[in-house]
Amino acid sequence: MHKKNSKRRWIIITVIVLVLTNAASLFIGSNYLLSPNGSVSVDNNTYNEIMKFKKLFAIRDELYKYYDGKIDDNALVTGAIKGMTSALNDPYTVYMDQQETKDFNSQIQGEEYVGLGMQVEAKDNKVVVVTAFDDSPAQKAGIKSGDAIVKVNGTDVTGKDLDKAVAMMKGKAGTSVKVTIYRAGKGTFDITATRQSIVMNTVTGEMLSNNIGYIQMSMFDENTGANFNKKMAELKAQGMKALILDLRDNPGGLLTACVDVTSNFVPKDKTIVSMIDKNNSKEVYKSKGGDYIGMPLVVLVNENTASASEIFSGAIRDYKLGTLVGVKTFGKGIVQNVFDTGNGTQLKVTISKYYTPNGENIHHKGIKPDIEIKYPDNLKNLPYDRDTDPQFKKALEIIKSKVK
């Protein structure tokens, strides 16, 4: 995902907002719009585009005539814009209000937030739990990877409502939130958890035996690149000669952070990822070079390894720089940009498809690992134990054979 601020306004949105504040001021004809500040002349194409939305204005007037309750024009405008993005049926294209924008930015910037401490993603039009952080309210309440969140405090949520669901689960420390869960084999049930401060630490690691390093990366936020380099330097100082990088349940994040991490292993100026937008414009991101090119590497992936994690995995696979172990990845081969839409709001929109160095778009397909090993279902409901994890054990076996 790109993160980019822009002060551009779409003229259609601007005029809609203007007219919604005074619907009676709309004058149809001669390509003029009469606003409270005077008439505005528009060209034929723009005028015709605006007139497609006249039903929206008519509905607003009917609400003012007949609705027996309080009407907030700002709420109507927000609802109309959210409706437009929702109609695209793309869970990654969303309009975020002020609170949703604040929550979204706190996550990608790696800031502390108050919530339940879990990662979720949109999958099959459901809000699905990727992972519950260790010792988090979510984990303590019994929420597990693979659970589908169907309601938050009684409000239905689907994959289209991903950002809304995340915002609803955040709040003040010490307050509770009721989450309705659907779990395969158990059905639907309620869980109540108490919000607490969550400090995001996306990079953790340690030295194993035989000079093998192990790093787990939970997502790519603004601090991930620097924290990854710091952890790699620590492990190298302890004698690391090979690395197991665990990207299981990593939903992705910032493209810039992904390029920083991937550059550690890909020779300088080699393509890491390329993106092509709707106008067939191509943008290529190349390796900056790093200190660990040629280091033996095994990457653990699973069905929740997505987006930026798949960009990393695709580069490692295409250049044959390491071994992928696990199961086929999620399959998110599209990129989003974030635009500033004023007053503390933002629009996150899918802008392009991305391609691995070999030119493959993995959207809805995923990346098949070099060695496929499934994590047993009977272990998913038990506390994690590395000694019984067949994917980790295979990764360790492979990396040991590469250490000289």
Side-chain angles (χ1 to χ4, degrees):
M1 181 191 69
H2 279 304
K3 184 172 183 290
K4 178 180 179 182
N5 289 327
S6 172
K7 293 186 177 180
R8 291 179 299 172
R9 299 288 189 272
W10 293 350
I11 186 169
I12 294 175
I13 300 296
T14 303
V15 177
I16 288 174
V17 173
L18 178 65
V19 176
L20 274 175
T21 60
N22 190 352
S25 68
L26 178 63
F27 176 75
I28 304 175
S30 303
N31 288 23
Y32 278 90
L33 296 175
L34 184 62
S35 78
N37 298 319
S39 62
V40 178
S41 176
V42 295
D43 59 50
N44 286 335
N45 289 337
T46 302
Y47 181 80
N48 290 334
E49 288 298 309
I50 292 170
M51 295 317 300
K52 291 178 182 178
F53 291 85
K54 64 183 180 180
K55 187 172 184 179
L56 188 66
F57 313 148
I59 295 296
R60 186 261 189 188
D61 283 346
E62 294 299 299
L63 290 174
Y64 266 92
K65 286 179 183 177
Y66 301 112
Y67 178 66
D68 185 12
K70 184 179 179 180
I71 297 178
D72 181 347
D73 269 342
N74 290 329
L76 292 183
V77 172
T78 297
I81 298 173
K82 281 183 173 289
M84 278 196 291
T85 57
S86 177
L88 298 174
N89 291 317
D90 175 7
Y92 308 109
T93 295
V94 293
Y95 173 75
M96 297 178 286
D97 61 26
Q98 290 180 343
Q99 186 59 51
E100 290 165 343
T101 295
K102 182 178 179 181
D103 291 339
F104 173 77
N105 287 327
S106 70
Q107 183 181 38
I108 64 173
Q109 291 166 7
E111 298 175 353
E112 180 177 344
Y113 70 93
V114 177
L116 301 186
M118 59 181 171
Q119 288 180 345
V120 294
E121 66 184 4
K123 186 176 183 180
D124 300 327
N125 200 30
K126 298 176 183 177
V127 178
V128 179
V129 177
V130 176
T131 186
F133 303 148
D134 289 341
D135 203 34
S136 66
Q139 187 185 67
K140 293 175 182 176
I143 296 175
K144 301 179 182 295
S145 174
D147 285 347
I149 298 173
V150 296
K151 292 183 181 181
V152 180
N153 283 334
T155 300
D156 292 335
V157 291
T158 66
K160 294 180 182 179
D161 307 311
L162 179 64
D163 293 294
K164 174 184 174 182
V166 170
M168 291 173 65
M169 287 185 284
K170 294 179 179 179
K172 293 183 179 180
T175 59
S176 62
V177 56
K178 184 173 73 172
V179 181
T180 303
I181 297 289
Y182 172 79
R183 181 179 297 165
K186 187 173 180 179
T188 303
F189 57 97
D190 292 333
I191 287 178
T192 300
T194 302
R195 300 178 178 100
Q196 71 180 42
S197 293
I198 307 295
V199 179
M200 290 292 294
N201 181 16
T202 61
V203 180
T204 58
E206 62 182 293
M207 280 293 294
L208 306 176
S209 59
N210 299 91
N211 299 111
I212 296 168
Y214 170 83
I215 290 180
Q216 183 178 38
M217 193 183 306
S218 59
M219 70 172 293
F220 291 87
D221 66 21
E222 288 187 352
N223 301 316
T224 298
N227 288 339
F228 181 81
N229 290 340
K230 180 180 178 181
K231 181 58 67 175
M232 288 290 287
E234 290 176 3
L235 295 178
K236 184 178 180 181
Q238 297 174 40
M240 177 180 65
K241 295 182 179 180
L243 176 69
I244 296 174
L245 179 57
D246 196 341
L247 294 182
R248 292 177 295 181
D249 298 331
N250 184 320
L254 295 177
L255 176 61
T256 51
C258 175
V259 171
D260 287 343
V261 172
T262 311
S263 292
N264 281 281
F265 307 99
V266 175
K268 187 176 182 180
D269 294 330
K270 289 281 190 180
T271 295
I272 289 176
V273 64
S274 57
M275 299 182 300
I276 300 178
D277 66 16
K278 64 188 296 183
N279 300 313
N280 209 34
S281 176
K282 187 175 183 179
E283 189 171 6
V284 179
Y285 288 81
K286 296 186 176 182
S287 172
K288 303 173 184 178
D291 298 329
Y292 305 100
I293 294 168
M295 173 176 282
L297 175 67
V298 173
V299 183
L300 285 166
V301 297
N302 68 2
E303 66 276 8
N304 295 319
T305 300
S307 193
S309 296
E310 292 175 292
I311 291 176
F312 178 93
S313 301
I316 298 302
R317 178 200 64 179
D318 287 2
Y319 290 124
K320 302 186 186 306
L321 300 175
T323 305
L324 305 186
V325 174
V327 296
K328 189 170 69 173
T329 62
F330 182 83
K332 181 176 181 284
I334 52 179
V335 180
Q336 287 72 47
N337 226 338
V338 179
F339 298 92
D340 175 20
T341 49
N343 298 320
T345 66
Q346 291 181 329
L347 176 69
K348 179 160 68 77
V349 57
T350 298
I351 60 165
S352 62
K353 297 179 177 66
Y354 76 75
Y355 297 82
T356 70
N358 284 349
E360 181 185 4
N361 177 256
I362 54 90
H363 199 53
H364 295 315
K365 296 190 298 182
I367 295 174
K368 185 177 179 180
D370 299 300
I371 298 177
E372 192 164 1
I373 296 181
K374 185 178 179 182
Y375 193 89
D377 290 336
N378 65 300
L379 294 181
K380 292 180 179 179
N381 293 324
L382 300 176
Y384 178 73
D385 184 351
R386 187 184 290 169
D387 292 335
T388 61
D389 177 353
Q391 294 172 334
F392 174 81
K393 289 169 71 175
K394 174 55 72 171
L396 188 60
E397 175 189 325
I398 293 169
I399 204 72
K400 281 182 177 180
S401 68
K402 298 178 181 294
V403 177
K404 297 179 181 179

